[in-house]
mmCIF file of all heavy atoms in Angstrom:
data_model
loop_
_atom_site.group_PDB
_atom_site.id
_atom_site.type_symbol
_atom_site.label_atom_id
_atom_site.label_comp_id
_atom_site.label_asym_id
_atom_site.label_seq_id
_atom_site.Cartn_x
_atom_site.Cartn_y
_atom_site.Cartn_z
ATOM 1 N N CYS A 206 -129.604 -59.879 -58.123
ATOM 2 C CA CYS A 206 -130.309 -59.804 -56.843
ATOM 3 C C CYS A 206 -130.330 -61.201 -56.219
ATOM 4 O O CYS A 206 -129.822 -62.170 -56.800
ATOM 5 C CB CYS A 206 -131.726 -59.273 -57.038
ATOM 6 S SG CYS A 206 -132.822 -60.383 -57.967
ATOM 7 N N GLY A 207 -130.934 -61.332 -55.043
ATOM 8 C CA GLY A 207 -130.991 -62.626 -54.380
ATOM 9 C C GLY A 207 -131.704 -63.669 -55.208
ATOM 10 O O GLY A 207 -131.283 -64.833 -55.291
ATOM 11 N N ALA A 208 -132.806 -63.266 -55.845
ATOM 12 C CA ALA A 208 -133.556 -64.204 -56.682
ATOM 13 C C ALA A 208 -132.773 -64.567 -57.933
ATOM 14 O O ALA A 208 -132.920 -65.674 -58.467
ATOM 15 C CB ALA A 208 -134.916 -63.600 -57.064
ATOM 16 N N GLY A 209 -131.927 -63.650 -58.416
ATOM 17 C CA GLY A 209 -131.071 -63.963 -59.558
ATOM 18 C C GLY A 209 -130.054 -65.041 -59.211
ATOM 19 O O GLY A 209 -129.799 -65.948 -60.011
ATOM 20 N N VAL A 210 -129.494 -64.958 -58.007
ATOM 21 C CA VAL A 210 -128.554 -65.990 -57.549
ATOM 22 C C VAL A 210 -129.287 -67.320 -57.397
ATOM 23 O O VAL A 210 -128.801 -68.369 -57.841
ATOM 24 C CB VAL A 210 -127.896 -65.571 -56.220
ATOM 25 C CG1 VAL A 210 -127.005 -66.687 -55.682
ATOM 26 C CG2 VAL A 210 -127.083 -64.282 -56.399
ATOM 27 N N ALA A 211 -130.477 -67.287 -56.778
ATOM 28 C CA ALA A 211 -131.263 -68.511 -56.610
ATOM 29 C C ALA A 211 -131.633 -69.114 -57.966
ATOM 30 O O ALA A 211 -131.590 -70.341 -58.150
ATOM 31 C CB ALA A 211 -132.534 -68.203 -55.809
ATOM 32 N N TYR A 212 -131.976 -68.262 -58.924
ATOM 33 C CA TYR A 212 -132.352 -68.716 -60.262
ATOM 34 C C TYR A 212 -131.182 -69.422 -60.943
ATOM 35 O O TYR A 212 -131.350 -70.474 -61.568
ATOM 36 C CB TYR A 212 -132.812 -67.521 -61.095
ATOM 37 C CG TYR A 212 -133.237 -67.861 -62.502
ATOM 38 C CD1 TYR A 212 -134.460 -68.481 -62.749
ATOM 39 C CD2 TYR A 212 -132.407 -67.560 -63.584
ATOM 40 C CE1 TYR A 212 -134.849 -68.793 -64.047
ATOM 41 C CE2 TYR A 212 -132.792 -67.859 -64.873
ATOM 42 C CZ TYR A 212 -134.007 -68.480 -65.100
ATOM 43 O OH TYR A 212 -134.393 -68.791 -66.384
ATOM 44 N N GLN A 213 -129.984 -68.872 -60.807
ATOM 45 C CA GLN A 213 -128.819 -69.512 -61.418
ATOM 46 C C GLN A 213 -128.487 -70.828 -60.713
ATOM 47 O O GLN A 213 -128.024 -71.782 -61.361
ATOM 48 C CB GLN A 213 -127.615 -68.565 -61.386
ATOM 49 C CG GLN A 213 -127.647 -67.494 -62.477
ATOM 50 C CD GLN A 213 -127.501 -68.102 -63.866
ATOM 51 O OE1 GLN A 213 -128.380 -68.846 -64.329
ATOM 52 N NE2 GLN A 213 -126.410 -67.793 -64.531
ATOM 53 N N LEU A 214 -128.723 -70.900 -59.410
ATOM 54 C CA LEU A 214 -128.476 -72.147 -58.694
ATOM 55 C C LEU A 214 -129.390 -73.266 -59.200
ATOM 56 O O LEU A 214 -128.942 -74.380 -59.489
ATOM 57 C CB LEU A 214 -128.654 -71.942 -57.188
ATOM 58 C CG LEU A 214 -128.290 -73.145 -56.315
ATOM 59 C CD1 LEU A 214 -127.576 -72.704 -55.046
ATOM 60 C CD2 LEU A 214 -129.528 -73.961 -55.935
ATOM 61 N N ILE A 215 -130.675 -72.967 -59.355
ATOM 62 C CA ILE A 215 -131.584 -74.020 -59.836
ATOM 63 C C ILE A 215 -131.357 -74.315 -61.315
ATOM 64 O O ILE A 215 -131.616 -75.428 -61.779
ATOM 65 C CB ILE A 215 -133.069 -73.696 -59.552
ATOM 66 C CG1 ILE A 215 -133.555 -72.498 -60.372
ATOM 67 C CG2 ILE A 215 -133.312 -73.476 -58.064
ATOM 68 C CD1 ILE A 215 -135.065 -72.315 -60.342
ATOM 69 N N ASN A 216 -130.858 -73.329 -62.070
ATOM 70 C CA ASN A 216 -130.503 -73.580 -63.469
ATOM 71 C C ASN A 216 -129.432 -74.663 -63.550
ATOM 72 O O ASN A 216 -129.530 -75.604 -64.349
ATOM 73 C CB ASN A 216 -129.974 -72.292 -64.115
ATOM 74 C CG ASN A 216 -130.967 -71.686 -65.093
ATOM 75 O OD1 ASN A 216 -131.707 -72.404 -65.766
ATOM 76 N ND2 ASN A 216 -130.992 -70.373 -65.165
ATOM 77 N N TYR A 217 -128.400 -74.515 -62.720
ATOM 78 C CA TYR A 217 -127.326 -75.508 -62.730
ATOM 79 C C TYR A 217 -127.852 -76.853 -62.237
ATOM 80 O O TYR A 217 -127.542 -77.904 -62.827
ATOM 81 C CB TYR A 217 -126.160 -75.055 -61.843
ATOM 82 C CG TYR A 217 -125.047 -76.087 -61.799
ATOM 83 C CD1 TYR A 217 -124.071 -76.125 -62.794
ATOM 84 C CD2 TYR A 217 -124.996 -77.048 -60.785
ATOM 85 C CE1 TYR A 217 -123.065 -77.079 -62.779
ATOM 86 C CE2 TYR A 217 -124.004 -78.007 -60.763
ATOM 87 C CZ TYR A 217 -123.043 -78.026 -61.755
ATOM 88 O OH TYR A 217 -122.061 -78.989 -61.748
ATOM 89 N N TYR A 218 -128.634 -76.836 -61.170
ATOM 90 C CA TYR A 218 -129.129 -78.093 -60.607
ATOM 91 C C TYR A 218 -129.991 -78.837 -61.629
ATOM 92 O O TYR A 218 -129.877 -80.057 -61.793
ATOM 93 C CB TYR A 218 -129.933 -77.829 -59.332
ATOM 94 C CG TYR A 218 -130.180 -79.078 -58.513
ATOM 95 C CD1 TYR A 218 -129.362 -79.397 -57.437
ATOM 96 C CD2 TYR A 218 -131.225 -79.952 -58.824
ATOM 97 C CE1 TYR A 218 -129.575 -80.550 -56.685
ATOM 98 C CE2 TYR A 218 -131.441 -81.103 -58.096
ATOM 99 C CZ TYR A 218 -130.614 -81.397 -57.023
ATOM 100 O OH TYR A 218 -130.823 -82.543 -56.296
ATOM 101 N N ALA A 219 -130.857 -78.099 -62.327
ATOM 102 C CA ALA A 219 -131.723 -78.721 -63.329
ATOM 103 C C ALA A 219 -130.897 -79.337 -64.450
ATOM 104 O O ALA A 219 -131.201 -80.433 -64.941
ATOM 105 C CB ALA A 219 -132.700 -77.697 -63.893
ATOM 106 N N ASP A 220 -129.852 -78.635 -64.853
ATOM 107 C CA ASP A 220 -129.005 -79.128 -65.931
ATOM 108 C C ASP A 220 -128.219 -80.373 -65.508
ATOM 109 O O ASP A 220 -128.015 -81.296 -66.299
ATOM 110 C CB ASP A 220 -128.039 -78.013 -66.350
ATOM 111 C CG ASP A 220 -127.338 -78.320 -67.669
ATOM 112 O OD1 ASP A 220 -128.014 -78.765 -68.607
ATOM 113 O OD2 ASP A 220 -126.116 -78.116 -67.752
ATOM 114 N N ARG A 221 -127.810 -80.389 -64.232
ATOM 115 C CA ARG A 221 -126.959 -81.476 -63.738
ATOM 116 C C ARG A 221 -127.754 -82.678 -63.231
ATOM 117 O O ARG A 221 -127.381 -83.823 -63.450
ATOM 118 C CB ARG A 221 -126.080 -80.920 -62.607
ATOM 119 C CG ARG A 221 -125.125 -81.924 -61.977
ATOM 120 C CD ARG A 221 -123.952 -82.218 -62.882
ATOM 121 N NE ARG A 221 -122.957 -83.040 -62.212
ATOM 122 C CZ ARG A 221 -123.057 -84.357 -62.051
ATOM 123 N NH1 ARG A 221 -124.109 -84.997 -62.528
ATOM 124 N NH2 ARG A 221 -122.113 -85.038 -61.431
ATOM 125 N N TYR A 222 -128.883 -82.395 -62.556
ATOM 126 C CA TYR A 222 -129.602 -83.480 -61.893
ATOM 127 C C TYR A 222 -131.084 -83.571 -62.266
ATOM 128 O O TYR A 222 -131.798 -84.426 -61.756
ATOM 129 C CB TYR A 222 -129.538 -83.300 -60.366
ATOM 130 C CG TYR A 222 -128.152 -83.171 -59.810
ATOM 131 C CD1 TYR A 222 -127.663 -81.929 -59.397
ATOM 132 C CD2 TYR A 222 -127.328 -84.286 -59.675
ATOM 133 C CE1 TYR A 222 -126.383 -81.805 -58.861
ATOM 134 C CE2 TYR A 222 -126.044 -84.168 -59.143
ATOM 135 C CZ TYR A 222 -125.579 -82.921 -58.743
ATOM 136 O OH TYR A 222 -124.316 -82.807 -58.216
ATOM 137 N N GLY A 223 -131.556 -82.691 -63.143
ATOM 138 C CA GLY A 223 -132.994 -82.568 -63.335
ATOM 139 C C GLY A 223 -133.639 -83.548 -64.281
ATOM 140 O O GLY A 223 -134.871 -83.607 -64.368
ATOM 141 N N GLU A 224 -132.858 -84.328 -65.006
ATOM 142 C CA GLU A 224 -133.428 -85.207 -66.032
ATOM 143 C C GLU A 224 -134.444 -86.195 -65.450
ATOM 144 O O GLU A 224 -135.504 -86.435 -66.037
ATOM 145 C CB GLU A 224 -132.308 -85.969 -66.745
ATOM 146 C CG GLU A 224 -132.791 -86.761 -67.953
ATOM 147 C CD GLU A 224 -131.642 -87.402 -68.716
ATOM 148 O OE1 GLU A 224 -130.515 -86.852 -68.690
ATOM 149 O OE2 GLU A 224 -131.871 -88.454 -69.309
ATOM 150 N N THR A 225 -134.147 -86.732 -64.276
ATOM 151 C CA THR A 225 -135.042 -87.713 -63.650
ATOM 152 C C THR A 225 -136.428 -87.135 -63.409
ATOM 153 O O THR A 225 -137.447 -87.809 -63.534
ATOM 154 C CB THR A 225 -134.452 -88.194 -62.314
ATOM 155 O OG1 THR A 225 -133.147 -88.709 -62.548
ATOM 156 C CG2 THR A 225 -135.320 -89.275 -61.695
ATOM 157 N N PHE A 226 -136.470 -85.844 -63.074
ATOM 158 C CA PHE A 226 -137.740 -85.199 -62.758
ATOM 159 C C PHE A 226 -138.238 -84.312 -63.902
ATOM 160 O O PHE A 226 -139.123 -83.494 -63.727
ATOM 161 C CB PHE A 226 -137.596 -84.353 -61.482
ATOM 162 C CG PHE A 226 -137.386 -85.178 -60.251
ATOM 163 C CD1 PHE A 226 -136.109 -85.573 -59.872
ATOM 164 C CD2 PHE A 226 -138.459 -85.589 -59.476
ATOM 165 C CE1 PHE A 226 -135.901 -86.333 -58.734
ATOM 166 C CE2 PHE A 226 -138.265 -86.345 -58.336
ATOM 167 C CZ PHE A 226 -136.990 -86.723 -57.953
ATOM 168 N N ASN A 227 -137.631 -84.463 -65.081
ATOM 169 C CA ASN A 227 -138.027 -83.700 -66.266
ATOM 170 C C ASN A 227 -137.935 -82.195 -66.021
ATOM 171 O O ASN A 227 -138.791 -81.428 -66.434
ATOM 172 C CB ASN A 227 -139.458 -84.082 -66.702
ATOM 173 C CG ASN A 227 -139.747 -83.634 -68.136
ATOM 174 O OD1 ASN A 227 -138.837 -83.559 -68.961
ATOM 175 N ND2 ASN A 227 -140.995 -83.348 -68.419
ATOM 176 N N GLN A 228 -136.898 -81.792 -65.284
ATOM 177 C CA GLN A 228 -136.687 -80.375 -64.986
ATOM 178 C C GLN A 228 -135.511 -79.864 -65.814
ATOM 179 O O GLN A 228 -134.372 -79.871 -65.384
ATOM 180 C CB GLN A 228 -136.409 -80.184 -63.486
ATOM 181 C CG GLN A 228 -137.631 -80.375 -62.606
ATOM 182 C CD GLN A 228 -138.524 -79.141 -62.602
ATOM 183 O OE1 GLN A 228 -138.482 -78.332 -63.520
ATOM 184 N NE2 GLN A 228 -139.344 -79.017 -61.585
ATOM 185 N N SER A 229 -135.792 -79.417 -67.007
ATOM 186 C CA SER A 229 -134.752 -78.885 -67.881
ATOM 187 C C SER A 229 -134.598 -77.384 -67.639
ATOM 188 O O SER A 229 -135.421 -76.764 -66.967
ATOM 189 C CB SER A 229 -135.124 -79.112 -69.344
ATOM 190 O OG SER A 229 -136.286 -78.361 -69.667
ATOM 191 N N LYS A 230 -133.545 -76.797 -68.225
ATOM 192 C CA LYS A 230 -133.373 -75.348 -68.123
ATOM 193 C C LYS A 230 -134.560 -74.612 -68.743
ATOM 194 O O LYS A 230 -134.956 -73.537 -68.291
ATOM 195 C CB LYS A 230 -132.070 -74.926 -68.808
ATOM 196 C CG LYS A 230 -130.828 -75.188 -67.978
ATOM 197 C CD LYS A 230 -129.615 -74.525 -68.608
ATOM 198 C CE LYS A 230 -128.397 -74.648 -67.706
ATOM 199 N NZ LYS A 230 -127.220 -73.948 -68.261
ATOM 200 N N LYS A 231 -135.140 -75.205 -69.785
ATOM 201 C CA LYS A 231 -136.293 -74.581 -70.442
ATOM 202 C C LYS A 231 -137.482 -74.526 -69.495
ATOM 203 O O LYS A 231 -138.207 -73.525 -69.432
ATOM 204 C CB LYS A 231 -136.653 -75.371 -71.709
ATOM 205 C CG LYS A 231 -137.708 -74.701 -72.572
ATOM 206 C CD LYS A 231 -137.900 -75.457 -73.881
ATOM 207 C CE LYS A 231 -138.926 -74.748 -74.767
ATOM 208 N NZ LYS A 231 -139.129 -75.475 -76.046
ATOM 209 N N VAL A 232 -137.698 -75.598 -68.735
ATOM 210 C CA VAL A 232 -138.794 -75.624 -67.757
ATOM 211 C C VAL A 232 -138.521 -74.609 -66.655
ATOM 212 O O VAL A 232 -139.414 -73.878 -66.220
ATOM 213 C CB VAL A 232 -138.962 -77.035 -67.169
ATOM 214 C CG1 VAL A 232 -139.971 -77.026 -66.025
ATOM 215 C CG2 VAL A 232 -139.385 -78.020 -68.245
ATOM 216 N N VAL A 233 -137.275 -74.536 -66.200
ATOM 217 C CA VAL A 233 -136.907 -73.574 -65.159
ATOM 218 C C VAL A 233 -137.210 -72.153 -65.615
ATOM 219 O O VAL A 233 -137.783 -71.356 -64.880
ATOM 220 C CB VAL A 233 -135.409 -73.720 -64.805
ATOM 221 C CG1 VAL A 233 -134.919 -72.525 -63.990
ATOM 222 C CG2 VAL A 233 -135.183 -74.998 -64.014
ATOM 223 N N GLU A 234 -136.841 -71.827 -66.852
ATOM 224 C CA GLU A 234 -137.090 -70.480 -67.359
ATOM 225 C C GLU A 234 -138.582 -70.180 -67.419
ATOM 226 O O GLU A 234 -139.026 -69.105 -67.013
ATOM 227 C CB GLU A 234 -136.461 -70.310 -68.745
ATOM 228 C CG GLU A 234 -136.651 -68.919 -69.324
ATOM 229 C CD GLU A 234 -135.915 -68.710 -70.632
ATOM 230 O OE1 GLU A 234 -134.708 -69.009 -70.679
ATOM 231 O OE2 GLU A 234 -136.545 -68.240 -71.598
ATOM 232 N N SER A 235 -139.373 -71.110 -67.897
ATOM 233 C CA SER A 235 -140.803 -70.867 -68.054
ATOM 234 C C SER A 235 -141.511 -70.702 -66.712
ATOM 235 O O SER A 235 -142.498 -69.984 -66.609
ATOM 236 C CB SER A 235 -141.452 -72.004 -68.849
ATOM 237 O OG SER A 235 -141.432 -73.212 -68.101
ATOM 238 N N LYS A 236 -140.995 -71.345 -65.663
ATOM 239 C CA LYS A 236 -141.667 -71.310 -64.360
ATOM 240 C C LYS A 236 -141.114 -70.236 -63.420
ATOM 241 O O LYS A 236 -141.862 -69.706 -62.588
ATOM 242 C CB LYS A 236 -141.538 -72.677 -63.674
ATOM 243 C CG LYS A 236 -142.340 -73.779 -64.342
ATOM 244 C CD LYS A 236 -142.132 -75.119 -63.665
ATOM 245 C CE LYS A 236 -142.760 -75.162 -62.288
ATOM 246 N NZ LYS A 236 -142.663 -76.522 -61.700
ATOM 247 N N TYR A 237 -139.828 -69.911 -63.545
ATOM 248 C CA TYR A 237 -139.209 -69.100 -62.498
ATOM 249 C C TYR A 237 -138.575 -67.792 -62.963
ATOM 250 O O TYR A 237 -138.259 -66.933 -62.133
ATOM 251 C CB TYR A 237 -138.152 -69.933 -61.761
ATOM 252 C CG TYR A 237 -138.728 -71.193 -61.156
ATOM 253 C CD1 TYR A 237 -138.414 -72.448 -61.684
ATOM 254 C CD2 TYR A 237 -139.606 -71.128 -60.079
ATOM 255 C CE1 TYR A 237 -138.953 -73.605 -61.143
ATOM 256 C CE2 TYR A 237 -140.151 -72.281 -59.534
ATOM 257 C CZ TYR A 237 -139.825 -73.522 -60.073
ATOM 258 O OH TYR A 237 -140.375 -74.656 -59.534
ATOM 259 N N LEU A 238 -138.371 -67.606 -64.269
ATOM 260 C CA LEU A 238 -137.741 -66.373 -64.737
ATOM 261 C C LEU A 238 -138.576 -65.149 -64.388
ATOM 262 O O LEU A 238 -138.038 -64.086 -64.063
ATOM 263 C CB LEU A 238 -137.508 -66.427 -66.253
ATOM 264 C CG LEU A 238 -136.769 -65.218 -66.850
ATOM 265 C CD1 LEU A 238 -135.374 -65.076 -66.252
ATOM 266 C CD2 LEU A 238 -136.681 -65.329 -68.371
ATOM 267 N N ALA A 239 -139.891 -65.279 -64.418
ATOM 268 C CA ALA A 239 -140.784 -64.163 -64.077
ATOM 269 C C ALA A 239 -140.476 -63.635 -62.678
ATOM 270 O O ALA A 239 -140.466 -62.417 -62.439
ATOM 271 C CB ALA A 239 -142.243 -64.606 -64.168
ATOM 272 N N PHE A 240 -140.204 -64.548 -61.745
ATOM 273 C CA PHE A 240 -139.961 -64.150 -60.359
ATOM 274 C C PHE A 240 -138.574 -63.542 -60.190
ATOM 275 O O PHE A 240 -138.394 -62.623 -59.387
ATOM 276 C CB PHE A 240 -140.163 -65.359 -59.437
ATOM 277 C CG PHE A 240 -141.586 -65.836 -59.426
ATOM 278 C CD1 PHE A 240 -142.011 -66.822 -60.306
ATOM 279 C CD2 PHE A 240 -142.511 -65.260 -58.579
ATOM 280 C CE1 PHE A 240 -143.328 -67.244 -60.320
ATOM 281 C CE2 PHE A 240 -143.833 -65.673 -58.582
ATOM 282 C CZ PHE A 240 -144.249 -66.665 -59.460
ATOM 283 N N ALA A 241 -137.604 -64.022 -60.951
ATOM 284 C CA ALA A 241 -136.272 -63.412 -60.922
ATOM 285 C C ALA A 241 -136.336 -61.982 -61.465
ATOM 286 O O ALA A 241 -135.690 -61.069 -60.929
ATOM 287 C CB ALA A 241 -135.291 -64.247 -61.734
ATOM 288 N N ALA A 242 -137.125 -61.773 -62.512
ATOM 289 C CA ALA A 242 -137.271 -60.439 -63.102
ATOM 290 C C ALA A 242 -137.990 -59.491 -62.147
ATOM 291 O O ALA A 242 -137.590 -58.339 -61.963
ATOM 292 C CB ALA A 242 -138.026 -60.533 -64.424
ATOM 293 N N LEU A 243 -139.074 -59.973 -61.555
ATOM 294 C CA LEU A 243 -139.846 -59.160 -60.611
ATOM 295 C C LEU A 243 -138.964 -58.706 -59.454
ATOM 296 O O LEU A 243 -138.979 -57.537 -59.054
ATOM 297 C CB LEU A 243 -141.031 -59.985 -60.102
ATOM 298 C CG LEU A 243 -142.062 -59.301 -59.205
ATOM 299 C CD1 LEU A 243 -142.687 -58.102 -59.890
ATOM 300 C CD2 LEU A 243 -143.144 -60.299 -58.804
ATOM 301 N N ALA A 244 -138.162 -59.622 -58.929
ATOM 302 C CA ALA A 244 -137.274 -59.295 -57.814
ATOM 303 C C ALA A 244 -136.179 -58.320 -58.238
ATOM 304 O O ALA A 244 -135.826 -57.403 -57.492
ATOM 305 C CB ALA A 244 -136.650 -60.572 -57.262
ATOM 306 N N THR A 245 -135.644 -58.496 -59.447
ATOM 307 C CA THR A 245 -134.583 -57.615 -59.941
ATOM 308 C C THR A 245 -135.064 -56.177 -60.003
ATOM 309 O O THR A 245 -134.367 -55.245 -59.583
ATOM 310 C CB THR A 245 -134.119 -58.072 -61.335
ATOM 311 O OG1 THR A 245 -133.616 -59.414 -61.244
ATOM 312 C CG2 THR A 245 -133.022 -57.167 -61.875
ATOM 313 N N VAL A 246 -136.267 -55.971 -60.511
ATOM 314 C CA VAL A 246 -136.842 -54.621 -60.607
ATOM 315 C C VAL A 246 -137.135 -54.068 -59.214
ATOM 316 O O VAL A 246 -136.759 -52.937 -58.890
ATOM 317 C CB VAL A 246 -138.120 -54.624 -61.459
ATOM 318 C CG1 VAL A 246 -138.809 -53.263 -61.401
ATOM 319 C CG2 VAL A 246 -137.799 -54.995 -62.904
ATOM 320 N N CYS A 247 -137.800 -54.853 -58.380
ATOM 321 C CA CYS A 247 -138.258 -54.352 -57.083
ATOM 322 C C CYS A 247 -137.130 -54.164 -56.084
ATOM 323 O O CYS A 247 -137.270 -53.396 -55.134
ATOM 324 C CB CYS A 247 -139.326 -55.279 -56.510
ATOM 325 S SG CYS A 247 -140.840 -55.293 -57.480
ATOM 326 N N ASP A 248 -136.005 -54.847 -56.279
ATOM 327 C CA ASP A 248 -134.848 -54.629 -55.412
ATOM 328 C C ASP A 248 -133.964 -53.517 -55.962
ATOM 329 O O ASP A 248 -132.860 -53.292 -55.458
ATOM 330 C CB ASP A 248 -134.040 -55.923 -55.257
ATOM 331 C CG ASP A 248 -133.541 -56.121 -53.832
ATOM 332 O OD1 ASP A 248 -134.316 -55.879 -52.890
ATOM 333 O OD2 ASP A 248 -132.379 -56.530 -53.646
ATOM 334 N N VAL A 249 -134.461 -52.821 -56.982
ATOM 335 C CA VAL A 249 -133.806 -51.650 -57.586
ATOM 336 C C VAL A 249 -132.372 -51.972 -58.003
ATOM 337 O O VAL A 249 -131.427 -51.226 -57.745
ATOM 338 C CB VAL A 249 -133.833 -50.423 -56.632
ATOM 339 C CG1 VAL A 249 -133.636 -49.133 -57.422
ATOM 340 C CG2 VAL A 249 -135.144 -50.331 -55.875
ATOM 341 N N MET A 250 -132.214 -53.133 -58.649
ATOM 342 C CA MET A 250 -130.902 -53.485 -59.183
ATOM 343 C C MET A 250 -130.676 -52.724 -60.492
ATOM 344 O O MET A 250 -131.627 -52.364 -61.187
ATOM 345 C CB MET A 250 -130.821 -54.994 -59.444
ATOM 346 C CG MET A 250 -131.204 -55.860 -58.254
ATOM 347 S SD MET A 250 -130.333 -55.448 -56.722
ATOM 348 C CE MET A 250 -128.660 -55.895 -57.150
ATOM 349 N N GLU A 251 -129.413 -52.493 -60.811
ATOM 350 C CA GLU A 251 -129.101 -51.802 -62.056
ATOM 351 C C GLU A 251 -129.490 -52.670 -63.249
ATOM 352 O O GLU A 251 -129.133 -53.860 -63.301
ATOM 353 C CB GLU A 251 -127.614 -51.472 -62.135
ATOM 354 C CG GLU A 251 -127.196 -50.333 -61.229
ATOM 355 C CD GLU A 251 -125.832 -49.772 -61.610
ATOM 356 O OE1 GLU A 251 -124.906 -50.579 -61.790
ATOM 357 O OE2 GLU A 251 -125.715 -48.536 -61.742
ATOM 358 N N LEU A 252 -130.205 -52.081 -64.194
ATOM 359 C CA LEU A 252 -130.660 -52.834 -65.364
ATOM 360 C C LEU A 252 -129.590 -52.778 -66.452
ATOM 361 O O LEU A 252 -129.769 -52.210 -67.531
ATOM 362 C CB LEU A 252 -131.993 -52.283 -65.860
ATOM 363 C CG LEU A 252 -133.145 -52.397 -64.843
ATOM 364 C CD1 LEU A 252 -134.450 -51.969 -65.469
ATOM 365 C CD2 LEU A 252 -133.242 -53.796 -64.277
ATOM 366 N N ILE A 253 -128.480 -53.409 -66.112
ATOM 367 C CA ILE A 253 -127.356 -53.524 -67.028
ATOM 368 C C ILE A 253 -126.945 -54.992 -67.082
ATOM 369 O O ILE A 253 -127.364 -55.801 -66.258
ATOM 370 C CB ILE A 253 -126.155 -52.665 -66.575
ATOM 371 C CG1 ILE A 253 -125.693 -53.080 -65.169
ATOM 372 C CG2 ILE A 253 -126.517 -51.185 -66.594
ATOM 373 C CD1 ILE A 253 -124.459 -52.358 -64.678
#
């Protein structure tokens, strides 16, 4: 879904540029995965 694309974009950015701001992939998952999941369900995406 749209939030899934946004989530992957910030995943890459955190991995590439996030060290200065202590934004690791682990931090991204803990803060934003909930919203990617919520959007995936509510946008009726296939759960595959």
Side-chain angles (χ1 to χ4, degrees):
C206 67
V210 175
Y212 180 75
Q213 281 293 66
L214 186 141
I215 67 168
N216 253 326
Y217 178 84
Y218 194 97
D220 193 45
R221 180 75 173 79
Y222 305 105
E224 188 175 331
T225 304
F226 292 87
N227 197 30
Q228 288 280 23
S229 65
K230 282 190 174 183
K231 188 174 182 180
V232 173
V233 166
E234 181 174 309
S235 68
K236 291 177 70 174
Y237 302 109
L238 184 61
F240 295 92
L243 186 58
T245 300
V246 173
C247 294
D248 220 43
V249 201
M250 307 308 294
E251 286 196 312
L252 298 186
I253 59 176

